[in-house]
């Protein structure tokens, strides 16, 4: 730098009415020979500092001449403050640098007041790192921002943000951290830890990332556990509680740090001996905390114990067991996905036990069918879901007792009781004269009218899922109801007896008469109807030459061109799915039958959507040939009925065919004449859920007998549209109270304005507070508006927000933002708030 330029800068620093002192440490004495040629403005004086005139200089500046402006020139580096008699004078004075640091500050526009911090890290300022620093595009240069910028560049960040910096550092490793090694090399590590203290309240004589995280997690835990953590942990807590909470929440929710959080929380939990110490935290304080997985494990163990002890009405913090399960599955809880299967298993197991005790069998068959189709079917769904989720978890010691309890209640107090009473009500006369829809009338009652509704283009696609029992169909109906392109109506019909595949499939075809001969040979209008596609196609095409029978998997995997060829010019198409029965009939896979149910539901929904889009199909019927009974426990010998096989011409585990009535207190015989006058023989079924001793196959999955689960069959009518449907998402509004915030912890209520329907879809939002500049001052709170209930009280959602530390001005506007979860830049709503919190820094 030329001497004239130095003169100008020094005179600028000394300008003004107040007295000024400027210290110039010339580290390499570059200007020692030229300093006497320096021309300062009138009234400004030059003083040369030497190794021996420190006291004289201090006496001059502070006593002998305390009015004049001075440039104090030192041809050597500034000493350490502990060895510098002029350190106090230096700090209240101006500072000038004539080397490359001065030039750098000029190029970057860094003000003179920040030259010291630039000088402090002079090793950092090579060309590459200076360019990266410049690209951070800081809005304002302060000493704190410059230090943060240096750290961000060393960490490899392209933004100047302390939260991003912490995230980057943590992901570099807890023990051997490459970023902190760089900080130590560039002598900025102490500044990093001071920043941690200022931002998050973490202070330690020997700081480390591990201890920092312990402080953050325990501070978070203490907040959500209402300060009920063990006393020994209190020493770790940060005074900046709200900032620590926001830090932890962001670490939980951020894609880059979620797995890291899980690992470090497990490690810290182990060091804290949390498995043992958790019992010291009251359950009502555990139920809303999610910092460690042990909290979920503790709640799960408590719920299992209460259910096993029959204490179904027990509550925690006013919540019942099902409510705790539903609450802990919310996305705002970090381990919700980890333990979702556990909570769903407990929820469904609880519902089986609770609801079975509250249900009674209706006195007549008509009332029993109505009761089952309107409500009682859910017990079978809860049982199915219980095992579906239990199988995903795996049976463990703590879940084994619940499994035994659910199994006992379902099989002995529900299945056995209801099946026995069903057969008491379903006399031969009651069955013959049943006035509701019957399976043998399916084509006449459902397919034919639907074809006529469509006029010339009235093509109907009938999807028959083998063993797709009524409760599975109800789940499919609920899914289709949410599809804006589907109009859905569901009804039911009573199956033929025996409720088995060959006869059930034949009954669903158009016919005048069905005849059953020896060996369960079934004939439809004198045409043999075996359990194969060719026989069914021949029977269908006799009545409808443009009819077709297709295999479900073949249709599912067909290309668009193949689909068009399969269905071209067809007016009625039967598609046969064999997901459930195929899995259940095999001894090796019968325990997978509930998985098969779930797959069947999803596959049917997918096929309806595909056929609508690919071949413009718009009319569908979904039904089944029969239902089934499934019990997980192996049958005892007492549950197997022995009979004289010489009296029957066909034997199955759930039914027998004979020419004469079978006399046995455990069995009931009914004539099959209802199918046609030529069927003058008997079908005999167990009165309860027992099986008949017969060779082959499994024993847990059975059908063919007389029970609501086997005989009450679904009929789902689906009308679809191919075009783009007019849909929208439900609205979410803040339930207004005061818009004035007086505490860093804020509870707000939101309401989902409408129930979710086929045309009103769920909405997923994140809610957070911002200041006038748009900077977030709270962590993101997920709001999932997916309630289908009409009662608005059920659609209320109470959420907790925690604000960052800061100086909040009553005259400044703050906003609660509701933004789209997938696209956070798209705002759904924005509400203005006033924040009036005293003493928050």
């Amino acid at each position: 730098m030329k001497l004239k330029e130095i003169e100008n800068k020094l005179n600028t620093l000394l300008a003004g009415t107040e007295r000024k002192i400027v210290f110039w440490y010339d580290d390499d004495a570059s200007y020692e020979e030229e300093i006497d040629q320096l021309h300062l403005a009138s009234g400004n004086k030059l003083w040369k500092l030497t190794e021996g005139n420190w006291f004289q200089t201090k006496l001059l500046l502070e006593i002998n001449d305390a009015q004049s402006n001075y440039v104090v020139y030192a041809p050597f580096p500034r000493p350490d403050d502990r060895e510098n008699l002029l350190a106090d004078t230096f700090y209240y004075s101006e500072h000038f640098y004539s080397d490359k640091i001065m030039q750098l500050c000029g190029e970057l526009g860094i003000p003179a007041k920040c030259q010291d911090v630039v000088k402090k890290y002079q090793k950092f300022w090579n060309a590459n790192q200076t360019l990266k620093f410049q690209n951070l595009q800081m809005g304002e240069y302060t000493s704190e921002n410059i230090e943060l910028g240096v750290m961000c560049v060393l960490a490899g960040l392209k933004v100047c943000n302390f939260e991003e910096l912490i995230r980057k550092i943590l992901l570099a490793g807890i023990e051997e951290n490459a970023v902190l090694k760089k900080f130590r090399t560039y002598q900025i590590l102490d500044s990093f830890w001071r920043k941690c203290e200022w931002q998050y309240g973490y202070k330690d004589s020997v700081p480390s990332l591990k201890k920092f995280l312990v402080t953050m997690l325990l501070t978070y835990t203490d907040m959500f556990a209402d300060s009920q953590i063990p006393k020994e942990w209190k020493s770790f807590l940060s005074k900046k509680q709200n900032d620590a909470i926001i830090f932890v929440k962001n670490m939980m929710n951020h894609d880059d740090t979620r797995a890291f959080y899980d690992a470090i929380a497990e490690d810290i939990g182990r060091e804290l001996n949390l498995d043992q110490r958790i019992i010291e935290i009251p359950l009502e304080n555990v139920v809303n905390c999610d910092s460690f997985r042990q909290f979920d494990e503790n709640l799960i163990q408590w719920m299992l114990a209460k259910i096993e002890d029959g204490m179904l009405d027990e509550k925690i913090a006013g919540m019942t067991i099902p409510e705790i399960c539903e609450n802990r599955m919310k996305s705002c809880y970090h381990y919700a996905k980890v333990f979702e299967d556990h909570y769903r298993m407990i929820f469904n197991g609880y519902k089986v036990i609770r609801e079975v005790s509250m249900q009674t069998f209706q006195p007549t068959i008509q009332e029993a069918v109505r009761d089952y189709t309107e409500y009682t079917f859910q017990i079978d769904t809860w049982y199915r879901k219980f095992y579906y989720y239990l199988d995903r978890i795996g049976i463990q010691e703590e879940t084994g007792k619940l499994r035994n309890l659910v199994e006992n209640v379902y099989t002995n107090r529900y299945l056995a009781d209801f099946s026995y009473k069903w057969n008491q009500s379903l006399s031969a006369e009651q069955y013959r004269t049943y006035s509701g829809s019957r399976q043998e009338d399916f084509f006449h009652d459902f397919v034919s009218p639907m074809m006529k509704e469509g006029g010339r283009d009235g093509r109907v696609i009938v999807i028959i899922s083998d063993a797709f029992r009524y409760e599975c169909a109800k789940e499919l109906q609920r899914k289709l109801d949410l599809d804006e392109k589907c109009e859905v109506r569901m009804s039911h019909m009573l199956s033929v007896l025996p409720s088995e595949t060959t006869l059930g499939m034949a009954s669903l075809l158009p016919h005048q008469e069905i005849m059953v001969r020896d060996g369960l040979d079934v004939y439809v209008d004198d045409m043999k109807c075996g359990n194969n596609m060719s026989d069914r196609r021949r029977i269908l095409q006799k009545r409808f030459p443009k009819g077709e029978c297709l295999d479900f998997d073949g249709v599912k995997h067909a290309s668009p061109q193949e689909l068009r060829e399969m269905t071209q010019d067809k007016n009625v198409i039967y598609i046969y799915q064999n997901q459930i029965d195929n899995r259940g009939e095999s001894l090796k896979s019968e325990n997978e039958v509930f998985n098969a149910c779930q797959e069947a539901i999803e596959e049917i929904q997918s096929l309806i959507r595909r056929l609508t889009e690919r071949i413009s199909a718009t009319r569908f019927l979904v039904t089944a040939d029969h239902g089934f009974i499934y019990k997980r426990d192996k049958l005892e010998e007492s549950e197997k009925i022995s009979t004289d096989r010489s009296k029957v011409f066909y034997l199955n585990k759930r039914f027998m065919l004979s020419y004469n009535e079978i006399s046995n207190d455990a069995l009931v015989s009914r004539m099959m004449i209802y199918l046609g006058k030529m069927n003058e023989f008997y079908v005999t079924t167990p009165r309860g859920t027992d099986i008949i001793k017969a060779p082959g196959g499994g024993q847990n999955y059975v059908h063919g007998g007389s029970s609501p689960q086997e005989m009450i069959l679904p009929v789902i009518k689906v009308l679809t549209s191919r075009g783009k449907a007019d849909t929208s998402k439900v609205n979410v509004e803040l339930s207004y109270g005061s818009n004035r915030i007086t505490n860093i912890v804020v509870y707000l209520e939101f309401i989902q304005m409408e129930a979710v329907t086929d045309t009103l879809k769920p909405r997923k939002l994140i809610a957070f507070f911002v200041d006038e500049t748009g900077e977030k001052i709270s962590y993101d709170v997920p709001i999932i508006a997916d309630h289908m209930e009409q009662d608005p009280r059920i659609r209320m959602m109470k959420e907790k927000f925690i604000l960052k530390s800061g100086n909040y001005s009553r005259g400044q506007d703050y906003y609660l933002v509701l933004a789209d979860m997938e696209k956070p830049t798209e705002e759904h709503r924005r509400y203005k708030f006033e924040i009036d919190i005293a003493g928050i820094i």
Side-chain angles (χ1 to χ4, degrees):
M1 184 181 296
K2 295 180 179 179
L3 193 62
K4 185 64 177 176
E5 186 178 351
I6 292 174
E7 287 177 1
N8 293 336
K9 290 184 178 294
L10 288 172
N11 285 324
T12 300
L13 287 172
L14 294 169
T17 58
E18 296 181 0
R19 192 234 186 172
K20 302 280 184 67
I21 299 173
V22 176
F23 276 83
W24 175 7
Y25 283 102
D26 184 9
D27 290 8
D28 51 7
S30 301
Y31 294 90
E32 186 175 19
E33 295 180 0
E34 300 177 76
I35 193 65
D36 291 328
Q37 302 173 28
L38 192 67
H39 297 289
L40 297 176
S42 176
N44 298 333
K45 299 178 180 180
L46 175 68
W47 178 264
K48 287 186 276 187
L49 189 63
T50 67
E51 296 291 348
N53 69 349
W54 296 81
F55 181 76
Q56 183 182 358
T57 302
K58 191 170 186 67
L59 190 65
L60 171 70
L61 298 177
E62 297 185 5
I63 297 177
N64 294 341
D65 189 1
Q67 288 77 40
S68 300
N69 291 339
Y70 275 92
V71 172
V72 179
Y73 172 80
F76 47 80
R78 179 164 69 92
D80 187 271
D81 288 348
R82 290 170 294 185
E83 302 173 358
N84 189 351
L85 183 63
L86 296 173
D88 57 340
T89 310
F90 175 83
Y91 281 114
Y92 70 71
S93 302
E94 302 287 345
H95 312 137
F96 175 78
Y97 301 95
S98 58
D99 55 11
K100 66 175 184 178
I101 296 300
M102 187 66 185
Q103 297 178 42
L104 177 66
C105 289
E107 292 169 2
L108 298 181
I110 295 175
K113 64 181 180 179
C114 298
Q115 291 172 0
D116 287 341
V117 73
V118 176
K119 179 77 172 180
K120 183 177 180 181
Y121 305 111
Q122 59 181 334
K123 185 178 178 181
F124 168 83
W125 302 102
N126 60 47
N128 183 44
Q129 291 181 163
T130 299
L131 179 61
K132 291 178 180 179
F133 178 89
Q134 191 172 11
N135 288 339
L136 293 176
Q137 296 183 339
M138 295 182 191
E140 178 186 4
Y141 284 118
T142 64
S143 296
E144 292 78 13
N145 281 347
I146 291 171
E147 282 194 321
L148 178 58
V150 170
M151 294 181 207
C152 289
V153 170
L154 292 175
L157 291 176
K158 295 182 180 180
V159 294
C160 189
N161 182 280
F162 191 61
E163 289 183 10
E164 290 293 328
L165 175 65
I166 288 280
R167 185 178 296 122
K168 183 81 171 184
I169 290 171
L170 292 176
L171 292 176
I174 297 299
E175 301 300 333
E176 295 295 323
N177 192 285
V179 177
L180 293 190
K181 284 183 178 179
K182 279 188 179 181
F183 286 4
R184 188 175 292 108
T185 299
Y186 285 90
Q187 298 181 338
I188 201 170
L189 184 58
D190 289 343
S191 295
F192 168 74
W193 290 120
R194 282 195 299 272
K195 183 75 172 173
C196 287
E197 179 184 355
W198 178 83
Q199 182 75 35
Y200 298 115
Y202 169 71
K203 185 177 183 180
D204 197 288
S205 57
V206 186
S208 71
L209 291 175
K210 183 69 167 290
K211 289 189 281 187
F212 168 76
L213 289 167
V214 170
T215 292
M216 295 297 99
L217 265 67
L218 287 184
T219 302
Y220 179 96
T221 303
D222 188 64
M223 173 65 183
F224 284 95
D226 298 323
S227 300
Q228 294 301 309
I229 65 172
K231 292 180 179 179
E232 302 92 301
W233 297 356
K234 296 283 188 177
S235 61
F236 291 101
L237 300 183
S238 166
K239 292 181 180 179
K240 295 206 169 186
Q241 187 182 60
N242 47 330
D243 293 295
I245 290 166
I246 292 169
F247 172 82
V248 172
K249 270 295 185 186
N250 288 337
M251 190 161 51
M252 288 175 171
N253 296 336
H254 200 284
D255 290 340
D256 290 344
T257 53
R258 192 175 292 116
F260 168 82
Y261 177 86
D262 291 345
I264 196 63
E266 183 175 350
D267 186 26
I268 291 173
R270 188 166 47 249
E271 291 193 10
L272 293 172
N273 194 24
L274 187 56
D275 289 335
Q276 303 299 320
R277 303 301 301 276
I278 194 171
I279 61 174
E280 300 175 34
I281 306 175
L283 279 169
E284 57 266 27
N285 303 115
V286 167
V287 75
N288 290 316
C289 193
D290 64 339
S291 46
F292 298 99
R293 62 183 294 137
Q294 284 90 338
F295 292 132
D296 289 279
E297 292 168 350
N298 196 24
L299 289 169
I300 288 167
Q301 290 170 6
W302 179 87
M303 290 188 288
L304 288 172
K306 294 303 177 185
I307 296 173
E308 290 160 11
D309 291 341
M311 303 172 71
L312 301 182
D313 294 326
E314 289 291 295
K315 296 181 179 181
I316 300 176
M319 289 187 287
T320 63
I321 289 174
E323 288 170 342
I324 293 169
C325 292
E326 290 178 320
N327 182 58
R328 294 297 294 195
M329 286 190 287
K330 290 180 179 178
S331 57
C332 59
Y333 290 103
H334 178 65
Y335 292 103
K337 287 295 182 185
V338 174
F339 292 99
E340 181 179 2
D341 289 346
H342 292 77
Y343 289 121
R344 292 194 184 280
M345 174 204 67
I346 292 172
F347 178 91
N348 287 287
Y350 175 97
K351 296 294 280 186
V352 170
I353 296 166
R354 166 66 80 182
E355 296 299 328
V356 166
S357 67
M358 299 175 66
Q359 299 305 309
T360 56
F361 190 82
Q362 301 304 305
T364 69
I365 200 67
Q366 298 282 0
E367 290 172 311
V369 170
R370 183 172 62 251
D371 181 66
Y372 185 84
T373 55
E374 290 180 358
Y375 187 82
T376 314
F377 74 88
Q378 293 179 103
I379 295 175
D380 296 306
T381 300
W382 290 322
Y383 179 78
R384 170 169 62 88
K385 294 289 188 179
F386 170 77
Y387 272 110
Y388 178 79
Y389 292 109
L390 178 64
D391 289 343
R392 288 162 66 101
I393 297 167
I395 296 180
Q396 302 153 358
E397 183 178 351
E398 59 268 25
T399 58
K401 292 179 181 179
L402 177 61
R403 189 211 79 86
N404 293 339
L405 182 57
V406 169
E407 186 69 19
N408 178 57
V409 169
Y410 179 79
T411 59
N412 297 325
R413 293 168 55 187
Y414 171 62
L415 272 187
D417 183 52
F418 274 49
S419 294
Y420 187 82
K421 291 175 179 176
W422 170 271
N423 281 292
Q424 282 184 315
S425 300
L426 191 64
S427 65
E429 180 63 18
Q430 283 280 329
Y431 184 47
R432 186 181 65 80
T433 60
Y434 176 73
S435 60
S437 296
R438 303 178 67 105
Q439 188 178 21
E440 59 268 31
D441 298 324
F442 170 75
F443 197 92
H444 177 271
D445 291 351
F446 296 102
V447 182
S448 184
M450 199 172 189
M451 293 176 70
K452 292 175 183 177
E453 289 171 9
R456 293 181 61 186
D457 298 322
R459 174 175 56 184
V460 174
I461 294 178
V462 181
I463 300 174
I464 302 173
S465 181
D466 202 334
F468 195 62
R469 68 182 182 181
Y470 185 85
E471 59 93 6
C472 295
K474 287 297 289 185
E475 183 173 340
L476 173 62
Q477 179 200 9
R478 289 191 292 271
K479 289 179 176 290
L480 293 172
D481 275 336
L482 295 177
D483 190 332
E484 68 278 5
K485 295 183 179 180
C486 294
E487 179 185 329
V488 187
R489 290 201 299 272
M490 184 165 172
S491 55
H492 57 272
M493 58 189 179
L494 202 62
S495 80
V496 294
L497 271 177
S499 53
E500 64 83 50
T501 300
T502 306
L503 184 58
M505 291 295 186
S507 301
L508 296 171
L509 291 165
H511 64 271
Q512 296 297 323
E513 186 177 56
I514 295 176
M515 181 176 289
V516 180
R517 298 178 181 173
D518 291 1
L520 197 57
D521 287 337
V522 179
Y523 287 80
V524 175
D525 297 337
D526 294 326
M527 300 176 67
K528 181 175 175 57
C529 186
N531 197 10
N532 61 77
M533 197 78 70
S534 58
D535 284 356
R536 297 170 191 165
R537 182 182 293 112
R538 188 170 62 254
I539 293 167
L540 179 63
Q541 290 180 347
K542 180 182 179 182
R543 176 85 173 271
F544 294 95
K546 292 184 178 181
E548 182 59 280
C549 293
L550 300 170
D551 175 70
F552 189 98
D553 288 342
V555 176
K556 182 176 73 172
H557 297 299
S559 67
Q561 178 61 31
E562 290 170 333
L563 274 180
R564 287 189 287 271
E565 293 173 357
M566 288 177 179
T567 59
Q568 188 174 9
D569 202 31
K570 305 298 181 184
N571 59 356
V572 57
I573 301 170
Y574 275 48
I575 299 176
Y576 295 92
Q577 183 192 49
N578 193 20
Q579 182 70 270
I580 299 171
D581 206 49
N582 185 51
R583 201 93 60 94
E585 290 281 8
S586 171
L587 180 62
K588 293 181 179 179
S589 60
E590 65 176 342
N591 282 351
E592 299 173 14
V593 70
F594 287 158
N595 296 71
C597 289
Q598 202 62 42
E599 292 166 15
I601 292 167
E602 294 166 3
E603 286 182 357
I604 293 171
Q605 182 183 20
S606 177
L607 187 69
I608 289 173
R609 186 183 301 116
R610 186 166 189 253
L611 293 178
T612 299
E613 294 172 352
R614 296 299 185 185
I615 63 170
S616 300
T618 59
R619 292 173 174 80
F620 299 86
L621 285 169
V622 181
T623 190
D625 53 343
H626 59 76
F628 66 88
I629 288 176
Y630 174 83
K631 300 182 289 185
R632 180 57 64 95
D633 278 356
K634 296 300 180 185
L635 273 66
E636 303 289 340
E637 279 301 310
S638 60
E639 299 175 279
K640 301 174 184 177
I641 304 169
S642 298
T643 187
D644 185 355
R645 296 186 185 182
S646 65
K647 295 181 178 181
V648 303
F649 63 82
Y650 191 90
L651 180 66
N652 185 278
K653 290 182 176 63
R654 284 288 291 166
F655 70 92
M656 299 182 294
L657 301 181
S658 62
Y659 291 107
N660 299 301
E661 186 174 0
I662 303 295
S663 179
N664 188 313
D665 290 342
L667 302 170
V668 57
S669 295
R670 302 177 182 90
M671 287 197 71
M672 289 188 66
I673 198 169
Y674 70 91
L675 285 174
K677 294 181 179 180
M678 299 300 292
N679 296 299
E680 294 184 349
F681 50 85
Y682 291 86
V683 55
T684 300
T685 62
R687 290 186 183 275
T689 57
D690 295 346
I691 67 169
I692 303 166
K693 282 190 175 181
Q699 299 177 350
N700 292 59
Y701 169 90
V702 292
H703 61 85
S706 174
S707 70
Q709 290 78 13
E710 294 165 289
M711 293 187 67
I712 299 176
L713 303 181
V715 180
I716 305 178
K717 180 180 178 180
V718 186
L719 301 178
T720 64
S721 58
R722 187 182 181 189
K724 184 177 181 180
D726 185 13
T727 65
S728 58
K729 293 182 179 180
V730 295
N731 288 303
V732 177
E733 299 279 2
L734 176 66
S735 182
Y736 271 102
S738 172
N739 68 340
R740 184 167 175 263
I741 296 173
T742 58
N743 198 300
I744 60 169
V745 180
V746 186
Y747 290 92
L748 297 175
E749 278 198 341
F750 301 86
I751 182 169
Q752 177 184 317
M753 300 300 291
E754 309 89 4
V756 169
T757 66
D758 57 337
T759 56
L760 281 173
K761 299 299 184 182
R763 188 183 291 273
K764 295 182 179 182
L765 301 169
I766 52 173
F768 51 87
F769 280 91
V770 298
D771 62 17
E772 286 182 333
T773 67
E775 182 179 351
K776 284 186 181 181
I777 56 173
S778 74
Y779 60 77
D780 295 344
V781 174
I783 297 178
I784 311 297
D786 60 357
H787 296 286
M788 300 173 64
E789 295 82 0
Q790 292 298 324
D791 188 345
R793 292 172 297 179
I794 300 176
R795 302 199 304 268
M796 296 292 293
M797 296 165 280
K798 188 174 184 179
E799 303 294 347
K800 182 177 185 178
F801 296 81
I802 298 177
L803 304 181
K804 287 184 176 180
S805 296
N807 290 314
Y808 293 107
S809 171
R810 293 180 61 183
Q812 184 177 346
D813 290 333
Y814 301 90
Y815 300 91
L816 171 69
V817 177
L818 304 184
D820 186 271
M821 186 177 288
E822 302 299 327
K823 300 177 181 178
T825 56
E826 294 185 7
E827 288 190 12
H828 175 63
R829 292 283 187 275
R830 175 179 282 240
Y831 302 92
K832 185 187 290 187
F833 277 80
E834 174 190 350
I835 299 180
D836 183 11
I837 306 175
I840 300 299
I841 59 172

